[in-house]
Amino acid sequence: MLLLAVAFIVTFVLLLYMVSPLISPKPLKLPGAHVVVTGGSSGIGKCIAIECYKQGAFITLIARDENKLLQTKKDIEKYCVNDKQVVLCISVDVSKDYEQVENVLKQAQEKLGPVDMLVNCAGTSVTGKFEDIEVNSFERLMAVNYLGSVYPSRAVITTMKERRMGRIVFVSSQAGQLGLFGYTAYSPTKFALRGLAEALQMEVKPYNIYVTVAYPPDTDTPGFAEESKTKPLETKLISETSSVCQAEQVARVIVKDAMQGNFNSSVGSDGYMLSILTSGMSPVTSITEGLQQVVCMGIFRIIGLFYLGSFDSIVRRCMMQREKSESADKTE
């Protein structure tokens, strides 16, 4: 009886692997493709642009700082694989004026052709305790991190539908899967991208357009270095439970998953576990992926509870130390 059960499971898994390629999207080929990267002048965005350029893509970089854009253009062009490739730079704030964003993307498409892949990487972060963060910071982060992805996506989606092809990437964060101490302004903006991506994927899937949500961990970028200067002690201690990834590694994973049309893109074992735990009703691009989620959910939930317990312990310990220090100061 046991052998029969094992044989059934093995047969079932083999069938899943055989059927899976039939329902998975056809991979996007990057040679000659037009890739637009917002927030592409530094960090993960810059590395994504380099990774796509290495594979023969034409690149449009969008960011606010024109000087940084021009320097990044020079850095990317070092990886040229043929003399036809072009790196186009556009200086614009993607979070302020939709019509302006729409116009510059029209110009980019007139020069380099329709957008095959849009990578929404523009973003910023503010850390601090909820009551210490300025109210306008909540508004600014929602504008940059959320609307800064809505506007470029809205500007290219019609053409993608007409062509019956395209990839749209939203670069979220592991803080967009799990709310953490110190990220009350940042996390909601990254959670919002998940909701946008799920709803948009349902709309555009019949048109052979696939959406990817990337959840990078702490990554060694200029933005991360700047963010670390204002992190509360609790946030720093929680961050120490995981390692800091290199931007090049994160970029390679995101580009690969976007090309394959995967909805979730994560890095490392912690990222894989979080993607399983937070999969909920998110779409899958293969039966195998769905099976992994079903099988691993229970055990990963148990592991996740231990993580949450340790985070709560860190916060409680810091609070007690702070109160003890304040009490000692008053008695002096």
Side-chain angles (χ1 to χ4, degrees):
M1 191 68 179
L2 180 62
L3 288 175
L4 184 63
V6 171
F8 175 79
I9 293 172
V10 171
T11 303
F12 180 64
V13 171
L14 287 174
L15 284 172
L16 287 178
Y17 273 100
M18 292 173 63
V19 174
S20 180
L22 300 178
I23 65 169
S24 298
K26 185 178 180 181
L28 175 69
K29 296 180 180 179
L30 285 181
H34 181 190
V35 178
V36 175
V37 184
T38 70
S41 62
S42 65
I44 295 174
K46 176 180 177 179
C47 291
I48 287 174
I50 290 174
E51 183 65 26
C52 292
Y53 200 67
K54 284 179 178 178
Q55 298 189 44
F58 291 70
I59 306 295
T60 295
L61 291 177
I62 298 178
R64 291 175 298 175
D65 192 321
E66 189 171 357
N67 291 329
K68 287 175 67 176
L69 275 172
L70 294 175
Q71 181 57 53
T72 300
K73 173 182 168 73
K74 294 178 182 177
D75 294 340
I76 294 173
E77 288 175 338
K78 297 174 184 177
Y79 299 93
C80 180
V81 295
N82 65 70
D83 57 7
K84 294 181 180 180
Q85 283 180 276
V86 176
V87 179
L88 177 65
C89 293
I90 299 176
S91 176
V92 68
D93 187 335
V94 293
S95 67
K96 285 191 174 180
D97 186 339
Y98 171 70
E99 289 187 1
Q100 188 178 19
V101 173
E102 185 180 36
N103 287 334
V104 297
L105 279 168
K106 281 182 179 178
Q107 294 170 17
Q109 294 186 91
E110 288 172 0
K111 293 179 180 179
L112 301 183
V115 176
D116 297 290
M117 182 191 294
L118 168 66
V119 183
N120 293 290
C121 204
T124 187
S125 175
V126 172
T127 56
K129 288 188 289 185
F130 182 66
E131 67 272 22
D132 294 336
I133 299 174
E134 296 291 336
V135 171
N136 61 8
S137 293
F138 291 87
E139 299 170 352
R140 181 169 63 88
L141 261 64
M142 186 58 75
V144 175
N145 295 349
Y146 179 68
L147 294 179
S149 293
V150 171
Y151 292 167
S153 302
R154 178 66 177 77
V156 303
I157 198 68
T158 300
T159 305
M160 285 186 174
K161 280 187 172 183
E162 290 172 352
R163 300 175 66 222
R164 295 292 197 272
M165 65 170 293
R167 297 287 191 273
I168 296 177
V169 181
F170 297 108
V171 178
S172 180
S173 163
Q174 286 188 353
Q177 296 172 293
L178 170 66
L180 294 172
F181 189 105
Y183 287 109
T184 51
Y186 178 72
S187 280
T189 67
K190 294 300 186 176
F191 268 88
L193 291 176
R194 160 76 175 269
L196 170 64
E198 288 189 4
L200 182 60
Q201 179 63 98
M202 191 174 291
E203 285 190 23
V204 301
K205 189 175 180 180
Y207 296 89
N208 193 37
I209 301 169
Y210 288 89
V211 177
T212 297
V213 188
Y215 300 105
D218 286 343
T219 306
D220 187 12
T221 65
F224 177 71
E226 191 65 28
E227 170 194 311
S228 298
K229 295 177 182 178
T230 59
K231 279 183 178 179
L233 177 60
E234 293 89 342
T235 309
K236 290 180 179 178
L237 293 175
I238 289 172
S239 297
E240 288 175 359
T241 61
S242 59
S243 58
V244 178
C245 289
Q246 296 301 308
E248 295 82 2
Q249 175 193 2
V250 173
R252 283 194 295 270
V253 173
I254 292 174
V255 172
K256 180 181 178 182
D257 284 331
M259 291 171 61
Q260 296 295 327
N262 295 334
F263 184 78
N264 287 304
S265 178
S266 60
V267 179
S269 56
D270 285 349
Y272 177 74
M273 182 179 75
L274 274 174
S275 289
I276 296 290
L277 281 173
T278 60
S279 56
M281 289 293 289
S282 64
V284 296
T285 47
S286 71
I287 297 176
T288 306
E289 182 184 1
L291 181 65
Q292 290 174 351
Q293 293 170 356
V294 171
V295 172
C296 298
M297 181 71 77
I299 185 65
F300 283 174
R301 178 57 175 165
I302 294 173
I303 297 172
L305 290 174
F306 279 102
Y307 271 98
L308 290 173
S310 69
F311 296 161
D312 286 342
S313 177
I314 289 171
V315 173
R316 195 180 306 110
R317 188 168 66 249
C318 288
M319 183 192 71
M320 293 174 65
Q321 289 175 351
R322 190 175 291 111
E323 289 181 344
K324 185 177 180 180
S325 177
E326 291 173 352
S327 178
D329 290 340
K330 289 179 180 178
T331 57
E332 290 180 356

